[in-house]
């Protein structure tokens, strides 16, 4: 593959990264960045796309409380780092509801928020009903997050094998320095007390299996609609 072929493939990958399917979008974005690193192609070379490198902050449509959804910070951290963003939580003074948000380049944040909201919607849909108390829901969600983390790592390994060269995905898909700097200037770190629930083995394992298979699911119509809790 020469440089012109790489440019063409990057263009196609960036177009595919607009896919509503989280798995396709992330894989395409990783492929584009990997090729950019391998062929030393910068955004100035990508005249066929609008590449905005100005970090932005975006609040998702999800809301949660630490009593019901104390697994949420772990999911925010997992997905934000997988999409080259920094996650945070916003809470208005005197209110219990919290609002997850993300900081990153516009294109990264778009995919990150979409993936996060779809994942939250899936977890909540799978634990809906009176049989799910907070402890069972917490066990399932933590298992789901662990399974999703495994799925992401398997995806990374597969892509590394496909694009094996001296450029590691750890570097290519890391949080950009501009995003880190912007995050540090915008965010303050505060400790949040989370309730601890007794883990349920069967709920955790069920969540792990669902989380590991999550990237293979197709996003259907209405899948991005989130019911705030």
């Amino acid at each position: 593959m020469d440089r012109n072929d790489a440019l063409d493939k990057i263009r196609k990958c960036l177009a595919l990264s607009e896919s509503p399917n989280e798995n396709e979008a992330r894989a395409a974005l990783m492929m584009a960045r990997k090729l950019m690193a391998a062929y030393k192609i910068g955004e100035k070379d990508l005249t066929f796309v609008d590449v905005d490198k100005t970090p932005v902050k975006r609040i998702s449509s999800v809301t949660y409380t630490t009593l019901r959804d104390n697994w949420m910070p772990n999911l925010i951290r997992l997905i934000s780092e997988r999409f080259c963003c920094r996650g945070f939580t916003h809470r208005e003074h005197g209110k219990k509801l919290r609002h997850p948000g993300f900081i990153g380049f516009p294109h990264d944040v778009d995919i990150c928020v979409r993936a996060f909201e779809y994942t939250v919607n899936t977890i909540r849909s799978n634990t809906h009903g009176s049989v799910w108390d907070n402890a069972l829901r917490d066990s399932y969600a933590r298992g789901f997050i662990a399974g999703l983390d495994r799925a992401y790592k398997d995806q990374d390994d597969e892509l590394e094998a496909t694009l094996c060269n001296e450029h590691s995905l750890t570097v290519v898909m890391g949080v950009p320095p501009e995003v880190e700097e912007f995050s540090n200037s915008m965010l303050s770190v505060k400790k949040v007390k989370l309730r601890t629930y007794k883990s349920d083995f069967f709920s955790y394992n069920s969540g792990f299996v669902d989380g590991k298979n999550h990237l293979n699911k197709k996003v259907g119509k209405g899948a991005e609609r989130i019911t705030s809790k």
Side-chain angles (χ1 to χ4, degrees):
M1 182 187 300
D2 61 21
R3 200 169 189 275
N4 288 333
D5 291 334
L7 281 167
D8 183 60
K9 193 167 186 64
I10 290 169
R11 176 184 61 79
K12 292 177 180 177
C13 285
L14 290 176
L16 184 59
S17 70
E18 299 292 343
S19 167
N21 183 299
E22 174 195 341
N23 186 29
E24 291 179 353
R26 182 173 182 269
L29 186 61
M30 287 195 298
M31 177 79 80
R33 289 191 169 171
K34 189 80 171 180
L35 290 169
M36 289 172 72
Y39 289 87
K40 296 180 173 57
I41 294 172
E43 61 267 20
K44 64 180 182 297
D45 301 304
L46 305 178
T47 55
F48 42 78
V49 293
D50 180 18
V51 182
D52 190 347
K53 293 296 184 180
T54 304
V56 297
K57 181 174 73 170
R58 187 166 303 164
I59 304 293
S60 79
S61 62
V62 172
T63 60
Y64 76 100
T65 66
T66 55
L67 175 63
R68 179 182 172 86
D69 301 313
N70 61 347
W71 47 268
M72 194 72 74
N74 289 335
L75 183 63
I76 294 172
R77 186 180 309 110
L78 172 63
I79 291 187
S80 62
E81 292 177 353
R82 288 288 167 173
F83 291 92
C84 305
C85 295
R86 278 289 176 238
F88 65 93
T89 296
H90 171 73
R91 179 174 67 90
E92 294 182 24
H93 181 69
K95 295 187 178 181
K96 293 183 178 180
L97 280 181
R98 298 173 182 272
H99 304 261
F102 301 91
I103 292 176
F105 294 147
H107 190 80
D108 294 334
V109 170
D110 285 344
I111 301 176
C112 183
V113 170
R114 193 163 68 235
F116 173 74
E117 292 182 347
Y118 177 52
T119 304
V120 172
N121 194 42
T122 299
I123 293 174
R124 285 178 170 172
S125 295
N126 291 350
T127 56
H128 179 72
S130 58
V131 298
W132 291 92
D133 60 20
N134 286 344
L136 293 179
R137 188 181 299 110
D138 179 75
S139 294
Y140 176 89
R142 290 185 182 280
F144 191 102
I145 294 168
L148 180 58
D149 185 34
R150 175 70 61 83
Y152 277 139
K153 290 175 179 175
D154 290 345
Q155 187 185 72
D156 290 347
D157 291 342
E158 183 179 350
L159 192 58
E160 279 282 16
T162 303
L163 297 170
C164 184
N165 57 42
E166 70 274 17
H167 300 281
S168 170
L169 280 176
T170 304
V171 177
V172 177
M173 294 303 295
V175 179
E178 299 92 333
V179 173
E180 292 279 16
E181 184 178 352
F182 185 80
S183 300
N184 292 336
S185 68
M186 294 288 293
L187 306 178
S188 59
V189 179
K190 294 182 180 180
K191 290 185 177 181
V192 178
K193 291 187 66 176
L194 298 174
R195 176 167 296 193
T196 301
Y197 293 103
K198 184 178 180 180
S199 181
D200 179 79
F201 176 81
F202 295 103
S203 298
Y204 182 94
N205 279 359
S206 176
F208 185 89
V209 172
D210 289 346
K212 191 174 180 182
N213 294 325
H214 180 66
L215 297 184
N216 297 323
K217 294 175 62 178
K218 296 290 184 180
V219 179
K221 293 182 179 179
E224 295 178 19
R225 292 199 299 270
I226 303 297
T227 301
S228 299
K229 300 293 185 180

